[in-house]
Amino acid sequence: MPDYPGTRHTGWNRLLVGQVAVLLLVNVMVDTVITAPVIVLPRMIEHFGTDQPAWLNSSAMLAGAMWSPLLGKTADRHGKRKVLVLTLVLAAVGALVCMVAPSLWVFILGRVVQGAAVASLFLTVGIVRDLCAPRIGMIVTGIVTTGNAVFGIGSAFLFDVLGDVYGYQVVFVVSGVLAVSTAILVRFLLPESLVRTPGRIDVAGALLLGGGLALGAAYLSFGSEYGWFRALPLVLAGAAALVGWFLLARRVPEPVVDITDLGRPLVLTLLVVVLGTGAYQSMLQLFSLLTEVSPDQGLGYGLAGGAAIGLLLGLPSIGIVLGGTLAGALATRIGPAATLAAGVALGTVGTVGLFAAAATLPLAAVCSFLLSLTAGTLVTSGFNMASILAPPQRQAAVSSQVMVMIALGSVVLNFVGAAVLKATRVTVGGATANSATGVFGYVGIGTAAFLVAGVLAVSLVRTQRGTPATERVGSSHGLG
């Protein structure tokens, strides 16, 4: 076990490069949990005989929203490295369950366990903050949170081919092996944080918050199938759980999310992240479905072709790396609030472009690339905003709130989009298919989310105007 450095890195050196490599590998594993299953989504739908793609695709992100607040508080108290190793072990167990699942609901259970890996992303960011001084830390955050997307350049093609030969299970074999390998590397090659926050862990609050989010997502999923009124008990139970969490958070001394100390800048950041990343992730799910339909079917959309899955889900990985790295570098000059706003603007252009690109593969690839730039920019800038708004002893807890917003946005907009598609299906040649109305309605929802995020991002930039990008790192007043 390496000793924790007495001073933080202020520039690049051999040790920092090695530590960044380990953290990047962790997030490659996270990519196999979040993104890689999208590539084999049509095969999973066929295997389990379901018309609920959002459950197959988003259950891990939903679980990430449930896991993150609890793991964030635990990391601040017991150490980020220790909790990161725990999340990687859970991810390996979840991957194993998914690989051998005999039914849909056992598979979803595996995805829920595997979803603990989602918390690995914000934990790697927290470790970067411990290792690096603020200026270099912003750049390293961009590399660590988006550099793993390089893996997606080849993996989209690779998983598509291997999925045809070995089935969707190959994704979870790779994910499980990576989870075990990275757990060992993190344990023996990264130092443990010296910063600790004493206190109790609000387990009840975490369960109420996670349960409320899960029941809300279930309502969006089952409402379109069984009727919105018949599924009403789900949303009522979810609302009751969230009310219970809110009341508990105001009463306990150390809630899982301190709602009394968020502050306007952090609230605006979280709202931009939930809308922007949610819109991007929902478009990613739509791309996967569009590649299964040929323009020749006459539905008014369709991108099926030999290179479609690679172009839309593989090559744009370059954009994620580019967006994240540039956002980290620019944040040291113009501040993360401005880079966050720029990411929203790119996402808006890319999503609007899909109205004209739903049946044109080259134009759709351009839109996908713009959206991938957006993804890298939003994730990096969201975490960088959290880092300058939180004191050292609360870095993991505040970063976990950003992770909750990333996961929550993805889950909600994926489920809403799936519900729109299901409600507008048509029958063509004796088989059901998504209608053009549903597809363009789906795109319209993403566009609206980006537009609202844009308004909020402009407001955030105004609140941060005149404040140097790194001035408030570690300030105890950062959340005010």
Side-chain angles (χ1 to χ4, degrees):
M1 181 182 70
D3 294 330
Y4 206 88
T7 59
R8 293 188 290 178
H9 297 290
T10 57
W12 288 100
N13 55 65
R14 186 176 301 177
L15 177 59
L16 179 58
V17 170
Q19 292 168 335
V20 169
V22 173
L23 295 173
L24 266 175
L25 192 57
V26 170
N27 286 331
V28 167
M29 188 283 303
V30 176
D31 206 41
T32 66
V33 175
I34 299 174
T35 304
V38 176
I39 300 168
V40 294
L41 181 60
R43 297 176 184 85
M44 291 192 292
I45 291 173
E46 181 181 359
H47 177 83
F48 290 109
T50 181
D51 56 1
Q52 297 287 344
W55 275 111
L56 296 172
N57 179 36
S58 299
S59 48
M61 286 294 280
L62 174 61
M66 298 164 59
W67 282 104
S68 291
L70 181 60
L71 292 173
K73 292 287 287 188
T74 304
D76 280 335
R77 182 177 180 185
H78 296 288
K80 300 180 185 70
R81 188 192 66 184
K82 185 181 297 183
V83 176
L84 178 55
V85 171
L86 173 63
T87 66
L88 295 170
V89 171
L90 288 171
V93 173
L96 177 63
V97 174
C98 291
M99 185 174 60
V100 302
S103 66
L104 174 63
W105 294 110
V106 174
F107 177 86
I108 291 175
L109 175 62
R111 290 289 277 165
V112 169
V113 176
Q114 194 185 25
V118 174
S120 299
L121 180 59
F122 77 79
L123 289 171
T124 61
V125 173
I127 290 173
V128 167
R129 294 305 176 197
D130 289 338
L131 293 173
C132 300
R135 185 167 293 276
I136 187 68
M138 285 191 173
I139 298 172
V140 173
T141 295
I143 296 172
V144 167
T145 56
T146 61
N148 57 295
V150 172
F151 171 76
I153 298 172
S155 68
F157 295 98
L158 183 63
F159 283 135
D160 190 39
V161 172
L162 293 179
D164 284 334
V165 178
Y166 300 106
Y168 72 88
Q169 291 91 343
V170 69
V171 169
F172 299 99
V173 173
V174 173
S175 185
V177 171
L178 276 174
V180 173
S181 302
T182 52
I184 295 171
L185 291 174
V186 168
R187 173 61 182 81
F188 293 104
L189 298 182
L190 292 181
E192 181 59 279
S193 172
L194 296 177
V195 179
R196 293 288 196 278
T197 304
R200 300 178 59 185
I201 305 299
D202 181 17
V203 177
L207 293 175
L208 287 170
L209 176 59
L213 297 176
L215 288 168
Y219 175 72
L220 291 174
S221 174
F222 295 124
S224 60
E225 181 174 358
Y226 299 109
W228 299 107
F229 182 77
R230 290 181 62 186
L232 195 60
L234 289 173
V235 75
L236 293 177
L242 291 175
V243 169
W245 160 74
F246 179 80
L247 295 176
L248 185 65
R250 295 178 63 87
R251 189 171 68 250
V252 299
E254 297 177 44
V256 66
V257 176
D258 190 353
I259 58 177
T260 64
D261 193 28
L262 292 178
R264 178 179 170 83
L266 183 58
V267 169
L268 288 172
T269 299
L270 295 178
L271 290 175
V272 172
V273 168
V274 72
L275 291 167
T277 59
Y280 163 74
Q281 287 288 346
S282 69
M283 293 303 107
L284 198 65
Q285 177 174 267
L286 182 62
F287 282 138
S288 180
L289 299 175
L290 291 180
T291 58
E292 295 298 308
V293 177
S294 169
D296 298 333
Q297 292 178 239
L299 292 171
Y301 70 92
L303 299 170
I309 194 75
L311 283 172
L312 298 179
L313 300 179
L315 292 180
S317 297
I318 299 172
I320 296 178
V321 179
L322 186 60
T325 304
L326 287 177
L330 285 173
T332 64
R333 296 179 177 274
I334 64 175
T339 59
L340 193 65
V344 172
L346 285 172
T348 304
V349 173
T351 306
V352 170
L354 287 176
F355 284 107
T360 308
L361 182 57
L363 185 55
V366 172
C367 293
S368 179
F369 184 75
L370 289 174
L371 285 165
S372 66
L373 285 172
T374 298
T377 302
L378 292 181
V379 171
T380 297
S381 300
F383 282 121
N384 277 334
M385 278 300 302
S387 73
I388 68 171
L389 294 173
Q393 65 272 21
R394 292 186 57 198
Q395 283 287 324
V398 175
S399 292
S400 76
Q401 294 171 30
V402 176
M403 193 66 245
V404 168
M405 293 299 105
I406 293 173
L408 183 60
S410 170
V411 168
V412 170
L413 288 181
N414 273 345
F415 275 105
V416 168
V420 169
L421 292 177
K422 186 172 183 178
T424 55
R425 282 182 176 172
V426 294
T427 301
V428 179
T432 59
N434 296 319
S435 68
T437 299
V439 168
F440 292 118
Y442 193 128
V443 175
I445 292 171
T447 301
F450 271 124
L451 290 173
V452 175
V455 173
L456 296 171
V458 170
S459 180
L460 175 63
V461 170
R462 288 176 176 173
T463 66
Q464 298 297 104
R465 186 169 294 165
T467 302
T470 60
E471 181 180 281
R472 289 180 294 168
V473 174
S475 168
S476 61
H477 304 292
L479 299 180

